[in-house]
């Protein structure tokens, strides 16, 4: 179907830019769908959007931020159709405006989070980073640019060794970096002042889904009383409630129980979440989720 | 106006010299001063709320700078700002068709001013993503399509046709705000009685309660409970200010069985205690508290022996900020003469014989939310993880 190709084509074109999050690319593609739409009623437009959203979600079933971003866009945009419009064009322009605003907020989300989170980086502190997150990188770069002196310890992130890329980018920004193997986290934790990670998704309980090993690091940080901070954009807030690690593979539909790519960290182990909606405690996340989805 | 200026300067000096001490007194004086500011402020017909907000903000930032440790000042300034925004919103809701000023203020700020504070940006994001409220519905009306980015000309043209409406609106706003500030003042003054009403629910017959230092709300709390329960109290003296001694005298005057212990004895005796109840200097947005020095130690001892750690606090002590680096940023170092008498160690203090001996006398301790079992406030009992909700109810995120 050509519509499908167009949507996926748009999506892939936006994804070419490496700085853009997957969900933001999806949001831009969905806004383009509204612009192209030939529907003559609001219901027709909504159905087109829903189909496009389903196509994008099917493209990569395992990406939680992609499906959460699509869901949030649908909720945010179609909420407007509750109001009556005299003609479809006024309604369409309103929807496009809201779609673009949502896209802008999501695009700037990283900067907002960096601004909020860099207050928590003190001079002379040592930060442990796990996983490869562009939000975390932006936060640390901003703190360094604002003249804060701190050191970073990056876990190797096996088996794909993503930590090496992260360490290269950090040292390019002039931040002293040390890379450690994943098993050395407990050994180094007493030298560390705080732990900072990104998230693939933030779930209803206030917990996070992130690259495998995050739960382990959180357990160690908690037992050694180190603050564990998460930097995540608001479009990653998903309507999921995993009760244990197995629930995760069920909801994302992956068969990887022997070699999982992600794990779930319960809210009990998180100290604070830095989001573009503000600094939140894990218990505040469900409040924000309700506000976003209702 | 000159009277007002003199009153503000006077208060600023008092704050700088720490002549006003204690969160209750500071909160009351701040609110009274801000009420004066609001009533003296001339309100233009366009943008009444923003002129009030600016006036309060300028006075408020001076007050906060005078004593950054006294968080109650900042709290009260933010409360008043929140009151102004709320009054504005209720008046707008009653008069449909007038462009809401505060909403367009936020949008104009976000688009126009670079380097805006991160929290204000986050607040703007929140309002943008929320469910359509009355504001959003109003801004969707076709006539005010361009209203978001240019608030002033729009409301000027409207005001020419509805000038009398606008004037009454600003009058209503001002008096609404002054009334609400009066309510706030009453709330602050009465928080002791609100808290003590809950005393009978928490203190049971023949209980042993431990506390550290002195707290006025705790005094009222015990007085209320004493009417129907018999219990005894262990008071840790709270070195180096020894407020615990004063507190023990007050409790004994109420005919409560009181025992004074040193701070170091807390861990030894905590296993015989049913509950720890304390007051706090301030409550942070994550649920942690700033309390007199030694409190963290008591909280750890209580956690170790599974003794509930209860904190009494008024809502005026609730601060919407997060403790970034609690041990350093939120602490004030008092004179070492409270620890060592003058002349006691003067030969080692100035370094004439080898390296000098330093004396550090911090005033406060930070207790993280994991160690606190319950907050008893004038709005009832709450979990530390609920504090974010209270913050959201009484403060506007734009003012952080």
């Amino acid at each position: 179907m050509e519509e499908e190709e167009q949507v996926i084509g748009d999506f892939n074109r936006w994804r070419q830019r490496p700085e853009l999050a997957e969900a933001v690319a999806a949001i831009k593609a969905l806004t383009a769908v509204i612009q192209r739409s030939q529907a003559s009623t609001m219901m027709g437009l909504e159905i087109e959007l829903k189909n496009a959203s389903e196509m994008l979600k099917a493209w990569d079933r395992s990406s939680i931020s992609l499906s959460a971003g699509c869901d949030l866009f649908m909720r945010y945009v179609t909420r407007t159709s509750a109001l009556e419009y005299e003609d479809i064009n006024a309604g369409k322009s309103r929807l496009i405006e809201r779609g673009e605003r949502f896209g802008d907020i999501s695009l700037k989300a990283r900067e907002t989070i960096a601004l909020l989170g860099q207050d928590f980086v003190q001079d002379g502190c040592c930060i442990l980073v796990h996983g490869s997150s562009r939000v975390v990188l932006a936060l640390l770069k901003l703190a360094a640019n604002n003249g804060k002196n701190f050191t970073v310890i990056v876990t190797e992130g096996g088996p794909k060794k993503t930590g090496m890329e992260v360490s290269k980018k950090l040292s390019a920004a002039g931040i002293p970096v040390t890379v450690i193997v994943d098993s050395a986290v407990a050994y180094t934790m007493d030298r560390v002042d705080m732990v900072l990670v990104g998230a693939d998704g933030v779930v209803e309980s206030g917990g996070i889904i992130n690259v495998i090993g995050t739960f382990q690091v959180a357990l160690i940080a908690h037992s050694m009383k180190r603050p564990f901070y998460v930097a995540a954009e608001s479009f990653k807030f998903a309507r999921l409630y995993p009760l244990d690690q197995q629930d995760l593979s069920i909801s994302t539909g992956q068969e990887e129980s022997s070699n999982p790519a992600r794990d779930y960290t319960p809210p009990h182990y998180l100290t604070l979440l830095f989001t573009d909606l503000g600094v939140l405690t894990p218990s505040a996340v469900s409040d924000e989720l309700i506000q976003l989805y209702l | 106006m000159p009277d007002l200026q003199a009153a503000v300067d006077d208060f600023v000096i008092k704050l700088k010299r720490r002549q006003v001490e204690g969160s209750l007194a500071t909160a009351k004086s701040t609110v009274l001063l801000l009420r004066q500011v609001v009533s003296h402020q001339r309100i233009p017909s366009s943008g009444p709320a923003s002129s009030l907000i600016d006036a309060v903000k300028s006075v408020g930032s001076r007050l906060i700078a005078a004593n950054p440790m006294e968080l109650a000042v900042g709290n009260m300034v933010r409360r008043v700002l929140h009151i102004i925004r709320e009054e504005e919103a209720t008046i707008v809701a009653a008069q449909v068709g007038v462009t809401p000023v505060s909403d367009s203020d936020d949008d104009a700020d976000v688009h126009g001013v670079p380097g805006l504070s991160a929290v204000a940006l986050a607040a703007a994001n929140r309002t943008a993503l929320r469910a359509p409220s009355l504001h959003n519905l109003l801004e969707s009306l076709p006539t005010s399509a361009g209203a978001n980015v240019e608030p002033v000309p729009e409301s000027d043209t409207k005001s020419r046709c509805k000038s009398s409406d606008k004037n009454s609106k600003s009058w209503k706003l001002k008096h609404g705000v002054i009334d609400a500030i009066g309510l706030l003042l009453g709330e602050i003054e009465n928080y002791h009685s609100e808290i003590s009403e809950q005393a009978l629910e928490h203190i049971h017959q023949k209980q042993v309660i431990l506390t550290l230092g002195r707290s006025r709300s705790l005094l009222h709390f015990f007085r209320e409970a004493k009417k129907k329960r018999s219990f005894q109290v262990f008071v840790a003296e709270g070195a180096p200010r020894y407020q615990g001694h004063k507190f023990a005298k007050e409790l004994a005057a109420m005919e409560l069985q009181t025992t004074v212990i040193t701070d170091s004895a807390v861990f030894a005796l905590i296993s015989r205690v049913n509950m720890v109840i304390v007051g706090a200097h301030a409550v942070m947005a994550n649920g942690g508290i700033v309390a007199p020095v030694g409190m963290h130690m008591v909280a750890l001892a209580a956690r170790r022996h599974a003794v509930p750690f209860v904190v009494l606090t008024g809502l005026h002590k609730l601060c919407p900020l997060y403790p970034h680096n609690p041990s350093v940023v939120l602490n004030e170092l008092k004179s070492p003469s409270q620890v060592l008498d003058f002349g006691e160690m003067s030969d080692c203090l100035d370094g004439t014989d080898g390296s000098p001996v330093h004396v550090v006398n911090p005033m406060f301790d930070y207790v993280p939310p994991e160690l606190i079992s319950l907050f008893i406030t004038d709005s009832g009992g709450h979990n530390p993880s609920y504090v974010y909700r209270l913050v959201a109810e009484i403060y506007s995120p734009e003012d952080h």
Side-chain angles (χ1 to χ4, degrees), chain B residues 26-91:
Chain B
T26 330
K28 258 169 65 175
S29 326
T30 314
V31 173
L32 284 168
L33 187 67
L34 289 176
R35 185 164 66 176
Q36 264 192 299
V37 169
V38 167
S39 44
H40 282 247
Q41 180 71 11
R42 299 194 136 268
I43 315 280
S45 49
S46 64
S50 50
S51 78
L52 269 181
I53 288 175
D54 287 334
V56 172
K57 263 192 188 165
S58 64
V59 173
S61 40
R62 278 190 70 196
L63 296 177
I64 295 174
N67 186 353
M69 268 312 300
E70 191 51 80
L71 296 164
V73 177
N75 297 349
M76 289 301 105
V77 173
R78 294 185 187 97
R79 283 298 284 272
V80 171
L81 287 170
H82 180 72
I83 286 173
I84 298 174
R85 289 181 207 273
E86 272 198 341
E87 281 296 315
E88 226 269 323
T90 25
I91 289 176

Side-chain angles (χ1 to χ4, degrees), chain B residues 374-393:
Chain B
L374 183 70
F375 280 108
I376 299 181
T377 70
D378 32 350
S379 63
H382 300 295
N383 212 310
S385 62
Y386 191 72
V387 167
Y388 77 91
R389 218 23 203 281
L390 293 171
V391 167
E393 271 168 34

Side-chain angles (χ1 to χ4, degrees), chain A residues 186-205:
Chain A
Y187 180 80
T188 30
M189 192 56 81
D190 56 0
R191 282 200 286 134
V192 162
D193 294 307
M194 58 191 246
V195 183
L196 185 58
V197 300
D200 278 349
V202 179
V203 297
E204 279 185 49
S205 58

Side-chain angles (χ1 to χ4, degrees), chain A residues 76 79 83 276-277 279 283 288, chain B residues 125 128 130 132 137 322 385:
Chain A
Y76 182 70
R79 223 189 269 139
L83 307 164
D276 49 314
L277 304 173
V279 177
S283 28
E288 287 299 327
Chain B
N125 290 351
R130 283 267 158 86
L137 283 174
Y322 286 91
S385 62

Side-chain angles (χ1 to χ4, degrees), chain A residues 47-91:
Chain A
I47 292 173
E48 273 185 43
L49 267 178
K50 213 180 284 188
N51 289 340
S53 165
E54 285 305 313
M55 284 176 226
L56 283 169
K57 284 201 255 187
W59 186 85
D60 181 4
R61 279 251 166 257
S62 65
S63 172
I64 296 174
S65 66
L66 179 58
S67 69
C70 289
D71 281 340
L72 274 169
F73 182 82
M74 288 301 298
R75 292 293 310 168
Y76 182 70
V77 165
T78 58
R79 223 189 269 139
T80 328
S81 54
L83 307 164
E84 295 186 12
Y85 287 101
E86 279 149 17
D87 70 317
I88 179 82
N89 287 323

Side-chain angles (χ1 to χ4, degrees), chain A residues 228-245:
Chain A
F228 190 89
Y229 298 127
V230 177
E233 301 98 312
S234 62
F235 53 77
K236 290 179 175 164
F237 283 24
R239 295 291 303 270
L240 293 169
Y241 206 118
L243 295 172
D244 58 21
Q245 307 298 330

Side-chain angles (χ1 to χ4, degrees), chain A residues 42 77 117 135 143 160 177 185-186 195 198 200 228 231 250 254 273 291:
Chain A
M42 290 299 286
V77 165
V135 189
K160 297 205 177 120
V177 188
V185 170
V195 183
D200 278 349
F228 190 89
I250 293 169
Q254 54 191 25
L273 289 104
Q291 303 277 10

